[in-house]
Amino acid sequence: MAQESQVAPRYLSGDKPALREFLDKFDVFLFDCDGVLWSGDHLFPGTVETLELLRKNGVSRNAMSVQQKLTNGLGKQVVFVTNNSTKSRADYRKKLEGLGIPSTVEEIFSSSYSASIYISRILQLPENKRKVYVIGETGIEQELQSENVQFIGGTDPAYRRDITPEDYKKIAAGDESLLDPEVGVVLVGLDFHFNYLKMALAYHYVKRGAVFLATNIDSTLPNSGTLFPGAGSMSAPLIMMLNQEPVALGKPSQAMMDSVEGKFKFDRSRTCMVGDRVNTDIRFGLEGKLGGTLGVLTGVSSKEEFLTGDVRPHAYLDKLSDLLGSE
Amino acid sequence: MAQESQVAPRYLSGDKPALREFLDKFDVFLFDCDGVLWSGDHLFPGTVETLELLRKNGVSRNAMSVQQKLTNGLGKQVVFVTNNSTKSRADYRKKLEGLGIPSTVEEIFSSSYSASIYISRILQLPENKRKVYVIGETGIEQELQSENVQFIGGTDPAYRRDITPEDYKKIAAGDESLLDPEVGVVLVGLDFHFNYLKMALAYHYVKRGAVFLATNIDSTLPNSGTLFPGAGSMSAPLIMMLNQEPVALGKPSQAMMDSVEGKFKFDRSRTCMVGDRVNTDIRFGLEGKLGGTLGVLTGVSSKEEFLTGDVRPHAYLDKLSDLLGSE
């Protein structure tokens, strides 16, 4: 599956020349967030300063004096790439702000936004099949609205109820009061109000020809220091019933990389993915043939995984703020 | 996986000598129900007469005249083996009766009963870990009660609600008001009131050491002539989150065959499984090394599957009532 990086990753923490050399190779840094910039509600020390160093002013590093670098930053494009589908980009910017990280909506790329772009700009849907049946929360709805995509389901209270004997008959008969004939896409994200009726409807829409999409297929979601069901837990029953995988729009899916590239028009060879998880973040960068991948040891994957796993970053750090050691 | 029956299955419909020879080989017939005896709400013609022919009076066939056979039946033990976990055996008998099939509770073997027997008689649980956390409906609860197994969850309305911010913290902290320390088993069956909270609790119980059981893992459930989410759809998210398969107590799991044998003390070499689905019913019989398997063409699997599939019955009929052609 993953394109393997066979060379042992380079350890950069505390090695100023190696850090400088590494940073000079890239114009764009894609950041995973939880486990890299913060953990749960805890912002890692130095996160804000590191981001400031990387991004300020858009001035190329070579043209700057050391003083300018410290004052103006390195002029890199910074993108926050998150699989969180329950929040819109605007919600996510508020979350970053709440943690003390200045950012703009334009710097944020979420799986719900990725899915919305995929539906509106990449999928070629017939005119009478452009509605989306949503399993998910408000973040997905907001991003679909931002791309002028019509949808049903989602947070609509009409779907938050038990299935009835009438429903079985109506669904079997393809009754339009329950199965909208204009639905051409089923989009499944994390839904805290998931239920039997929603599952049954999603199954029948796909059986009737709708495209099966998932914002992301992470099986778990971190919360309060432990794990809870993730968006993948809403897709899992459908995958089993349909014997079909969804097109997933979150990391490590390359559909997300295509969407990010479509928006930021970057040069992949001068782009680096930064993350804590080999099987999502690092794989995402490697399969996307980015110029670099940078692992950090403040999240899920261990040093041993970085050094001897099937999927290895090009370089790694103890923590993100070790990048400050480049100056 | 399945023990393959390499020989082409014998077609018995209309072949009186072959039918007699086949029936004579067995003392016990295990019946799948939907697709064999009926379809949905429609009882197949001749079902009642066929069952009467097989089972009456317990007199051995060889000792009877033709007249006696027609009057008294062949003296076979008949067992209805169903993966339906939402009904107790008593409920299921009522369903059979409603369809016009006389039966006794003792002739019925459901996956919820199978699971209850497995928990009470086969699992060796420590004394303080004997409670079962149930995802499922009343059929499971009734069968657990019949085996004096304590349980929580199930149809308890306290679990039919949204997850709250408090719940995350309590679950993370292992708060006993949400995570009962005496739970040693998670039993997952079909639950029409499945939700995020139930999923999260089941995940955490298994992570804390509970045995992960499923009444059955059928991904779909027939209703109104089409398919809806089955019990497997409730296990699928947990399998994905835990990266662990449950012990399944329904067909084709041999845990169910062991339970059936434990109850009926039959000779496997003189037992025949009758069903319409190769991957559950026929596999169940083959892996259980029964003397025979009999496919019928009134359900899911096709003649082509019977003749050329990986899992093939020993013999097959167009319809169950073709057994009446033996007399």
Side-chain angles (χ1 to χ4, degrees), chain A residues 63-270:
Chain A
M64 291 189 285
S65 67
V66 171
Q67 188 53 49
Q68 278 180 312
K69 280 178 224 165
L70 286 171
T71 314
N72 298 319
L74 302 175
K76 315 289 191 188
Q77 169 77 53
V78 163
V79 182
F80 304 104
V81 180
T82 170
N83 277 5
N84 185 324
S85 71
T86 60
K87 290 187 170 59
S88 65
R89 288 168 299 152
D91 292 335
Y92 210 72
R93 198 193 69 80
K94 274 185 213 142
K95 180 188 167 94
L96 287 165
E97 204 168 59
L99 284 159
I101 303 174
S103 64
T104 66
V105 167
E106 294 301 305
E107 285 178 326
I108 294 163
F109 213 92
S110 66
S111 64
S112 51
Y113 182 56
S114 174
S116 301
I117 287 184
Y118 186 82
I119 292 166
S120 65
R121 306 187 195 178
I122 297 173
L123 275 184
Q124 302 289 328
L125 297 166
E127 208 166 316
N128 59 349
K129 287 286 178 189
R130 293 199 179 150
K131 256 188 217 170
V132 178
Y133 174 70
V134 174
I135 291 185
E137 300 290 342
T138 178
I140 296 178
E141 295 177 333
Q142 288 179 53
E143 297 301 352
L144 288 172
Q145 274 159 353
S146 80
E147 290 287 312
N148 295 313
V149 176
Q150 276 196 290
F151 63 87
I152 59 169
T155 61
D156 183 344
Y159 295 85
R160 293 186 182 169
R161 61 174 179 84
D162 291 346
I163 197 165
T164 67
E166 278 305 295
D167 292 328
Y168 289 112
K169 285 177 202 142
K170 284 185 177 173
I171 290 171
D175 188 307
E176 296 189 3
S177 69
L178 266 180
L179 290 168
D180 187 327
E182 291 187 15
V183 166
V185 176
V186 168
L187 174 58
V188 182
L190 182 55
D191 189 334
F192 297 112
H193 307 84
F194 192 52
N195 64 29
Y196 192 88
L197 177 64
K198 292 181 181 190
M199 224 186 294
L201 290 173
Y203 170 75
H204 281 275
Y205 277 125
V206 177
K207 288 301 272 185
R208 297 163 72 88
V211 179
F212 180 21
L213 303 182
T215 55
N216 59 308
I217 50 169
D218 301 82
S219 63
T220 55
L221 176 80
N223 191 323
S224 307
T226 183
L227 297 174
F228 288 86
S233 294
M234 277 87 235
S235 292
L238 296 167
I239 293 169
M240 193 191 221
M241 291 179 76
L242 294 160
N243 198 19
Q244 180 190 333
E245 298 282 335
V247 173
L249 278 307
K251 297 172 287 181
S253 162
Q254 291 305 308
M256 190 178 210
M257 187 66 86
D258 294 342
S259 297
V260 178
E261 186 187 37
K263 174 158 175 162
F264 292 101
K265 315 273 183 232
F266 55 61
D267 175 354
R268 292 197 186 206
S269 73
R270 293 202 45 87

Side-chain angles (χ1 to χ4, degrees), chain B residues 181-194:
Chain B
E182 290 188 16
V183 166
V185 176
V186 168
L187 174 59
V188 182
L190 183 54
D191 189 335
F192 298 111
H193 308 84
F194 191 53

Side-chain angles (χ1 to χ4, degrees), chain B residues 3 21 29 39 68 81 84 109 119 145 149-150 158 211 286:
Chain B
Q3 176 196 353
E21 188 193 325
F29 284 83
S39 177
Q68 278 181 310
V81 181
N84 186 323
F109 213 93
I119 292 166
Q145 273 158 354
V149 176
Q150 275 196 290
V211 179
L286 291 173

Side-chain angles (χ1 to χ4, degrees), chain B residues 221-290:
Chain B
L221 176 80
N223 191 323
S224 308
T226 184
L227 298 174
F228 287 86
S233 294
M234 277 87 235
S235 291
L238 296 166
I239 293 169
M240 194 191 221
M241 290 179 77
L242 294 160
N243 199 19
Q244 181 189 333
E245 298 283 335
V247 173
L249 279 307
K251 294 172 290 181
S253 163
Q254 290 305 308
M256 190 178 210
M257 187 67 86
D258 294 343
S259 298
V260 178
E261 186 187 37
K263 173 157 175 161
F264 293 100
K265 316 274 182 228
F266 55 61
D267 174 354
R268 292 196 185 206
S269 73
R270 294 203 44 87
T271 299
C272 178
M273 176 71 208
V274 187
D276 65 311
R277 285 158 61 130
V278 287
N279 60 354
T280 49
D281 305 320
I282 304 305
R283 167 170 289 174
F284 180 62
L286 291 173
E287 291 184 349
K289 302 202 191 323
L290 298 188

Side-chain angles (χ1 to χ4, degrees), chain B residues 288-302:
Chain B
K289 302 202 191 323
L290 298 188
T293 51
L294 179 63
V296 294
L297 288 170
T298 47
V300 171
S301 295
S302 65

Side-chain angles (χ1 to χ4, degrees), chain B residues 67-141:
Chain B
Q67 189 53 47
Q68 278 181 310
K69 279 176 226 164
L70 286 171
T71 314
N72 299 319
L74 303 174
K76 316 289 191 188
Q77 168 78 54
V78 162
V79 183
F80 303 103
V81 181
T82 171
N83 276 5
N84 186 323
S85 71
T86 60
K87 291 188 168 58
S88 67
R89 287 168 299 154
D91 293 335
Y92 210 72
R93 199 193 68 80
K94 275 185 212 143
K95 180 188 166 94
L96 287 165
E97 203 168 61
L99 284 159
I101 303 173
S103 65
T104 66
V105 167
E106 293 302 305
E107 286 178 324
I108 294 163
F109 213 93
S110 65
S111 64
S112 51
Y113 182 55
S114 175
S116 300
I117 286 184
Y118 186 82
I119 292 166
S120 65
R121 306 188 195 177
I122 296 174
L123 276 184
Q124 303 289 327
L125 297 165
E127 208 166 317
N128 60 348
K129 288 284 178 191
R130 294 200 179 150
K131 257 190 216 168
V132 178
Y133 173 70
V134 175
I135 290 184
E137 300 289 343
T138 177
I140 296 178
E141 294 177 333

